[in-house]
Amino acid sequence: MPPRLRNAKENDAAAIAALMLPESSSQGGTLHGDFPVEKISHWLAQAAADNMPVLVAEDDAGLLGVLFTSSSQRQEQPLAATMARLHQGRAPFYFYGPVCLAPRARGQGLLASMAQQLHQQLPGYKALLFINAENQASLRAHAKLGMQVEGHFETDGQHCLLLCEP
């Protein structure tokens, strides 16, 4: 049976937190810190308040992946403000990520399916994503989706790339 995509619910927080452990997933962005259930619950509530989707992919064995979106209006975080500045204020856009896929999800086209679902839920919007410049696997995966490097910046001592949908 193929993976199912759906919008995340509050009761998915524990499964998402488990998926986001470094040993449990391939992370599509640059993530720092731990992701306890409380933090995930906060992210889910914030996304719901902003009417932004959080997608999960699952099969009968459990969660295969998660992709968060967040509003471009929420720029109180320095990273979000940097990304918006590099994008030069072109709108409408949303912040894409973090995205995490379980190792067993590889090769199923889940990232492309999630991106397509987001286009349906956020018509007319473009996605902005940052990744560590050294994360070549993520860069290749997002390049396959048509995302292009739009800028370079430093954060937490790391060289990062800003990717944008065309």
Side-chain angles (χ1 to χ4, degrees):
M1 174 173 256
R4 298 175 296 276
L5 291 182
R6 63 174 172 79
N7 286 345
K9 302 177 192 123
E10 175 60 31
N11 63 0
D12 291 320
I16 293 171
L19 178 69
M20 292 178 75
L21 293 171
E23 64 272 11
S24 303
S25 64
S26 171
Q27 300 170 351
T30 300
L31 303 177
H32 297 280
D34 62 347
F35 297 94
V37 174
E38 297 79 20
K39 183 182 275 190
I40 301 300
S41 291
H42 174 75
W43 285 0
L44 290 172
Q46 184 173 300
D50 292 340
N51 203 27
M52 299 299 294
V54 175
L55 298 180
V56 293
E58 64 185 355
D59 62 12
D60 292 339
L63 209 62
L64 289 169
V66 61
L67 192 159
F68 284 87
T69 65
S70 55
S71 171
S72 59
Q73 305 305 310
R74 220 178 253 284
Q75 296 180 17
E76 62 271 11
Q77 297 294 326
L79 176 60
T82 297
M83 290 168 65
R85 186 172 60 253
L86 285 171
H87 189 58
Q88 302 174 357
R90 287 172 278 164
F93 65 94
Y94 63 92
F95 299 124
Y96 170 110
V99 54
C100 294
L101 298 177
R104 64 190 175 86
R106 286 186 183 274
Q108 297 187 41
L110 282 183
L111 192 58
S113 296
M114 288 176 156
Q116 183 178 14
Q117 180 73 19
L118 288 177
H119 288 160
Q120 293 173 7
Q121 292 189 28
L122 298 169
Y125 281 74
K126 292 186 178 186
L128 295 188
L129 168 73
F130 89 100
I131 64 169
N132 186 315
E134 296 176 3
N135 192 341
Q136 291 300 306
S138 183
L139 183 58
R140 284 190 300 273
H142 287 93
K144 287 180 185 176
L145 298 179
M147 295 186 86
Q148 303 166 347
V149 175
E150 184 157 303
H152 302 258
F153 61 101
E154 300 290 324
T155 184
D156 295 334
Q158 296 182 21
H159 182 196
C160 295
L161 304 174
L162 175 68
L163 302 184
C164 181
E165 290 179 331

